[in-house]
Amino acid sequence: MKTIDQLLADGVAGKRVFVRADLNVPLDGTTITDDGRIRAVQPTIAKLAEAGARVVVASHLGRPKGAPDPAFSLAPAAARLGELLGTHVEFATDTVGESATAAVAGLEDGQVAVLENLRFNAGETSKDDAERGAFADRLAALADVYVGDGFGAVHRKHASVFDLPARLPHAAGFLIATEVGVLKKLTEDVSRPYVVVLGGAKVSDKLGVIDHLLEKADRILIGGGMAYTFLKAQGHEVGISLLQEDQVPAVREYLERAKAKGVEFVLPVDVLVSSEFPDLKTKAPANPAVVAADAIPADQEGLDIGPETRLLYASKLADAATVFWNGPMGVFEHPDYAEGTKAVAQALVDSPAFSVVGGGDSAAAVRILGFDEKAFGHISTGGGASLEYLEGKTLPGLAALED
Ligand SMILES: Nc1ncnc2c1ncn2[C@@H]1O[C@H](COP(=O)(O)OP(=O)(O)OP(=O)(O)O)[C@@H](O)[C@H]1O
Ligand SMILES: O=C(O)[C@H](O)COP(=O)(O)O
């Protein structure tokens, strides 16, 4: 894989360099609640600009449906990038249209432009190779060189991640190099006990990794939206909680296999429930109730792990030598459901274990809840991406950067 250092050594002055970043930051309206992913890619953009490149930054944000949707505009992220770089950043109001073409044509050496959300174009995420390829052709027309640095999206076979680097000379940015360097260590000689904590909301995306973790981890703690599919697999009712019904048989098999292999699965013993999802805008008090995990009422939704589970999980993390954590333990964006995530973060801070926290929201949660990033071994910008890396899968966005 060519590194950005080699690219810089070859010289980039005057060249249009396309940086595929992951600027998929959490937003409250148009306010960025955590800019970690922007800060993470800043060194690559800054270095290229310093070297005289005309830098074209592109990213997705959220999951719009292949057409423009102002709620998913990258304008706030572009503005924040400009603040961090201390320079004007031009924002194109489309991705491959007139605005993008003009913004790129107007760039002088050392200047930066950000394109509008890649996913406003159906070609970006299309399963059809020709449709993706046609969109990648249009992106390729905007640049001379490609730098992949959107680690959080390297597990996606999308036009800007997978098809575009095949059309341009390419290299990996600083962020991808760092992320891969740390995660590689977890696939090699890991210090034990190796404890994995899984939570979050993208349950269907992430259940598959457990298959692989059963071969690697000594202990697996399950929280967040992930927990309810496990509780259901154990025969408990989960009310209106997040549930991946079609995965229940697979999860049952994971639980059996774990027992046979001596891998300890730890599930919540109590949860915080409510009859409605909290208002994340007003943060109005939600007054959740604590119930045993095997007694969730039919009209209630589990939204955080409960107090007993917090203590249990802290004790299960105390003797770890290595921890990988992806996915918040609850809807941490609301203060009434943040305690579970806080407890896991605090347990990692208190433990001497080498800890890797992976995921856009997981990393944001740690910072928003006031923890010092330096107290963790590594905070990864990729959740799904880091899990799939650990699974040993070929990641389209990394494979595409190979020579
Ligand atoms: N019990 C729950 N029910 C519903 N949503 C939950 C629950 N617990 C956590 N969440 C939500 O999960 C979301 C984060 O999940 P997600 O799987 O996206 O993690 P992530 O760290 O961002 O990983 P990635 O980078 O792959 O997106 C948060 O917005 C949080 O509110
Ligand atoms: O948040 C993430 O995990 C990345 O930005 C990828 O987003 P996606 O899951 O919508 O592809």
Side-chain angles (χ1 to χ4, degrees), residues 22 24 37 60 62-63 119 152-153 155-156 158 202 205 360 383-384:
D22 181 353
N24 184 19
R37 278 182 163 160
H60 69 287
R63 293 178 171 177
R119 292 186 185 171
H155 57 318
R156 302 294 182 212
H158 291 170
K202 290 180 186 168
D205 273 13

Side-chain angles (χ1 to χ4, degrees), residues 17-24 37 41 44-45 48 55-62 74 115 117-119 124-125 135 139 143 145-165 171-173 175-176 397 401:
V17 181
F18 187 104
V19 178
R20 197 338 177 160
D22 181 353
L23 306 180
N24 184 19
R37 278 182 163 160
V41 73
T44 292
I45 296 169
L48 287 166
V55 190
V56 182
V57 181
S59 173
H60 69 287
L61 187 139
L74 272 170
L115 307 180
N117 194 337
L118 288 155
R119 292 186 185 171
E124 169 67 0
T125 57
F135 182 56
L139 292 171
V145 181
Y146 177 94
V147 171
D149 216 21
F151 180 73
V154 289
H155 57 318
R156 302 294 182 212
K157 192 177 173 187
H158 291 170
S160 66
V161 177
F162 179 71
D163 305 86
L164 181 57
L175 176 62
I176 282 193
L401 295 177

Side-chain angles (χ1 to χ4, degrees), residues 37 200-202 206 224-225 228 302-303 326 328 330-331 333 358-362 383-384:
R37 278 182 163 160
K202 290 180 186 168
K206 294 176 181 176
Y228 304 95
L303 294 161
N326 169 257
V331 181
E333 295 91 338
D361 284 302
S362 314

Side-chain angles (χ1 to χ4, degrees), residues 47-226:
K47 200 74 185 183
L48 287 166
E50 245 173 68
R54 303 171 179 205
V55 190
V56 182
V57 181
S59 173
H60 69 287
L61 187 139
R63 293 178 171 177
K65 306 254 174 288
D69 179 342
F72 295 103
S73 174
L74 272 170
R80 182 73 189 122
L81 178 63
E83 283 166 19
L84 290 167
L85 292 171
T87 179
H88 171 75
V89 164
E90 188 65 22
F91 180 64
T93 55
D94 59 27
T95 322
V96 286
E98 270 175 35
S99 176
T101 309
V104 175
L107 284 177
E108 290 180 11
D109 294 1
Q111 291 187 335
V112 180
V114 175
L115 307 180
E116 184 51 289
N117 194 337
L118 288 155
R119 292 186 185 171
F120 286 179
N121 307 268
E124 169 67 0
T125 57
S126 175
K127 297 239 180 316
D128 179 66
D129 291 350
E131 192 185 4
R132 266 197 343 270
F135 182 56
D137 285 340
R138 297 188 69 189
L139 292 171
L142 296 171
D144 306 305
V145 181
Y146 177 94
V147 171
D149 216 21
F151 180 73
V154 289
H155 57 318
R156 302 294 182 212
K157 192 177 173 187
H158 291 170
S160 66
V161 177
F162 179 71
D163 305 86
L164 181 57
R167 286 163 167 76
L168 292 171
H170 48 257
F174 295 123
L175 176 62
I176 282 193
T178 306
E179 296 269 22
V180 170
V182 173
L183 292 172
K184 199 156 182 268
K185 279 193 217 144
L186 292 191
T187 63
E188 291 165 352
D189 203 12
V190 60
S191 304
R192 298 184 177 280
Y194 177 24
V195 183
V196 175
V197 188
L198 287 180
K202 290 180 186 168
V203 180
S204 56
D205 273 13
K206 294 176 181 176
L207 273 172
V209 73
I210 292 171
D211 207 28
H212 160 84
L213 289 174
L214 287 175
E215 306 298 322
K216 287 272 176 192
D218 300 302
R219 192 178 293 148
I220 304 176
L221 316 186
I222 304 284
M226 187 81 79

